[in-house]
């Protein structure tokens, strides 16, 4: 590449410490670049027009419309729904996302942990302990139960391997057909969604938010599930219609849910999920950000970018991931 002036890279995280951690990892690896860390909207606004590359999480997407030099926008996340929906990415810029394998191990352990929390009824045990009540009860096993994983990208596939190791029967659902190792049967597309969800004791949602997945889990979807199914959502809140989920939980159609993602985050204080005994709420933390972990694939891609080679994990804007 013919670089007259050094490339300017903007690293954005609202958390200043994290922005600085990532900035220093990138700057150390590429001393020839001008790498800046920003955390406030005002600072991003002041620098956006000079940026050749922006990499961040939660970057104010409206500002992208002013990024006239931008050639590459990278998100330190597996999901890029906010950037795609904003439609503000300048046409000359490519969009990349973080390889799901960065979060996959942690997210798969989260899913296994909360499936076990439901099968062992950990919430009930904690309540009993708080009341010093000695009252044995019968728990269930994951072995022999069916888990359906909706979304079989890098993260979903990590979950498959762990669930299969616990002797669960694993089914999968995704947009397009094709076998996945460890999955007994794959279902594809809206037509097969009904059949998929009717067979599961646990449904795990790892789907990206796209036009095709928004509101996918509605009243009809819940009605078609087995009585007593547990739902775990680590994808995006709006893939599930919250009111329909509330109805399914209140009626006992669903036995319980663990939710890491919501329509509105942080989950408002007065939201009913907070006080439902059969719901476990976690604050969008199943795939946490560890600076070294999220920066590694960005650095690998920066090497490609500087060498003029195609970037990995480029987002297809039509498809949305
Ligand atoms: C987090 O939500 C992510 O998309 O990686």
């Amino acid at each position: 590449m013919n670089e007259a002036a050094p490339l300017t890279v903007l690293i954005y995280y609202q958390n200043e410490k994290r922005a600085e951690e990532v900035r220093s990892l990138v700057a150390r690896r590429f001393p020839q670049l001008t790498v800046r860390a920003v955390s406030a909207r005002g600072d991003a606004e002041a620098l956006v027009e000079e940026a050749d590359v922006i990499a961040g999480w939660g970057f104010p997407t409206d500002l992208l419309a002013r990024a006239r030099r931008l050639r590459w926008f990278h998100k330190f996340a597996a999901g890029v729904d906010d950037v795609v929906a904003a439609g503000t990415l300048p046409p000359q810029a490519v969009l990349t996302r973080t390889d799901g394998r960065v979060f996959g191990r942690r997210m798969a352990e989260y899913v296994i942990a909360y499936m076990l929390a439901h099968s062992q009824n950990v919430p009930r045990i904690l309540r009993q302990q708080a009341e010093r009540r000695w009252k044995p009860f019968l728990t269930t096993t994951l072995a022999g139960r069916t888990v359906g994983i909706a979304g079989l990208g890098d993260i979903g596939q990590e979950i498959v391997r762990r669930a299969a190791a616990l002797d669960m029967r694993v089914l999968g659902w995704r947009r397009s057909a094709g076998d996945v190792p460890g999955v007994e049967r794959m279902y594809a597309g809206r037509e097969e969604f009904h059949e998929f969800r009717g067979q599961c004791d646990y449904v795990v949602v790892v789907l990206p938010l796209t036009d095709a997945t928004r509101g996918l889990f509605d009243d009809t979807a819940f009605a078609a599930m087995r009585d007593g199914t547990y739902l775990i959502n680590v994808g995006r809140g709006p893939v599930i219609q919250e009111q329909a989920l509330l109805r399914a939980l209140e009626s006992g159609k669903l036995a319980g849910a663990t939710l890491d993602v919501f329509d509105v985050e942080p989950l408002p204080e007065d939201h009913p999920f907070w006080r439902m005994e059969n719901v476990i709420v976690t604050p969008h933390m199943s795939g946490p950000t560890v600076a070294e972990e999220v920066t590694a694939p960005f650095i690998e891609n920066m090497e490609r970018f500087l060498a003029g080679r195609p970037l990995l994990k480029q987002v297809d804007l039509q498809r949305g991931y």
Side-chain angles (χ1 to χ4, degrees):
M1 251 171 28
N2 170 21
E3 297 304 339
L7 285 180
T8 298
V9 181
L10 216 58
I11 304 293
Y12 184 93
Y13 268 107
Q14 278 164 2
N15 177 325
E16 277 177 43
K17 182 166 167 279
R18 180 159 301 148
E20 177 48 33
E21 276 171 4
V22 173
R23 188 206 63 78
S24 78
L25 288 166
V26 176
R28 206 176 313 148
R29 175 64 190 79
F30 301 104
Q32 72 274 35
L33 304 179
T34 304
V35 190
R36 298 214 165 105
V38 283
S39 298
R41 182 186 165 89
D43 296 333
E45 208 163 355
L47 293 171
V48 71
E49 290 183 14
E50 298 167 27
D52 300 286
V53 178
I54 301 176
W57 204 101
F59 189 85
T61 49
D62 60 306
L63 297 183
L64 286 178
R66 293 189 12 213
R68 54 190 171 82
R69 283 179 50 162
L70 191 70
R71 287 159 48 199
W72 173 24
F73 184 91
H74 174 79
K75 189 168 173 199
F76 292 118
V80 287
D81 44 286
D82 56 339
V83 185
V84 174
T88 45
L89 193 72
Q92 77 282 1
V94 290
L95 172 62
T96 57
R97 64 191 187 93
T98 300
D99 192 313
R101 281 172 293 187
V102 169
F103 307 107
R105 271 194 321 167
R106 294 170 187 274
M107 292 180 77
E109 289 195 14
Y110 172 104
V111 168
I112 299 297
Y114 288 99
M115 285 201 293
L116 284 167
H118 289 300
S119 67
Q120 294 292 318
N121 207 341
V122 173
R124 175 167 168 186
I125 276 294
L126 294 178
R127 283 196 301 274
Q128 288 191 185
Q129 184 173 345
E131 295 164 10
R132 303 176 188 214
R133 194 147 49 90
W134 183 274
K135 193 166 185 288
F137 57 84
L138 190 63
T139 58
T140 58
T141 59
L142 292 187
R145 307 278 150 166
T146 300
V147 57
I149 301 172
L152 280 151
D154 300 316
I155 299 165
Q157 291 181 40
E158 294 275 344
I159 301 169
V160 170
R161 292 199 293 120
R162 270 98 176 157
L166 289 171
D167 290 338
M168 297 187 83
R169 175 173 175 243
V170 185
L171 305 179
W173 181 84
R174 70 172 172 201
R175 190 173 183 264
S176 46
D179 288 341
V180 171
V183 178
E184 184 181 306
R185 179 150 177 216
M186 280 299 299
Y187 298 84
R190 286 266 179 166
E191 318 74 56
E192 292 182 3
F193 185 52
H194 189 76
E195 201 183 334
F196 160 76
R197 71 202 167 201
Q199 302 187 53
C200 307
D201 301 298
Y202 292 83
V203 171
V204 179
V205 181
V206 206
L207 292 165
L209 179 63
T210 66
D211 289 344
T213 64
R214 184 179 293 277
L216 183 68
F217 286 81
D218 55 10
D219 284 314
T220 317
F222 289 122
M225 285 188 186
R226 281 187 183 171
D227 290 347
T229 302
Y230 290 94
L231 180 87
I232 298 189
N233 188 9
V234 291
R236 283 289 184 264
V239 171
I240 294 174
Q241 291 188 11
E242 250 181 28
Q243 292 305 318
L245 173 57
L246 277 167
R247 283 190 283 274
L249 286 162
E250 272 158 6
S251 70
K253 178 74 191 175
L254 286 186
T258 292
L259 307 171
D260 191 44
V261 287
F262 303 89
D263 279 358
V264 177
E265 296 179 12
L267 186 66
E269 258 178 54
D270 59 353
H271 198 290
F273 285 150
W274 284 118
R275 52 181 166 73
M276 294 174 79
E277 278 193 355
N278 56 350
V279 176
I280 300 176
V281 168
T282 62
H284 203 140
M285 55 176 269
S286 63
T289 300
V290 177
E292 289 78 12
E293 292 178 8
V294 296
T295 309
F298 175 67
I299 286 181
E300 185 185 349
N301 248 350
M302 181 59 87
E303 278 159 5
R304 290 174 158 260
F305 182 75
L306 296 174
R309 289 164 53 212
L311 301 182
L312 303 172
K313 288 288 167 190
Q314 280 195 41
V315 175
D316 173 339
L317 294 174
Q318 295 307 329
R319 205 176 60 166
Y321 59 95

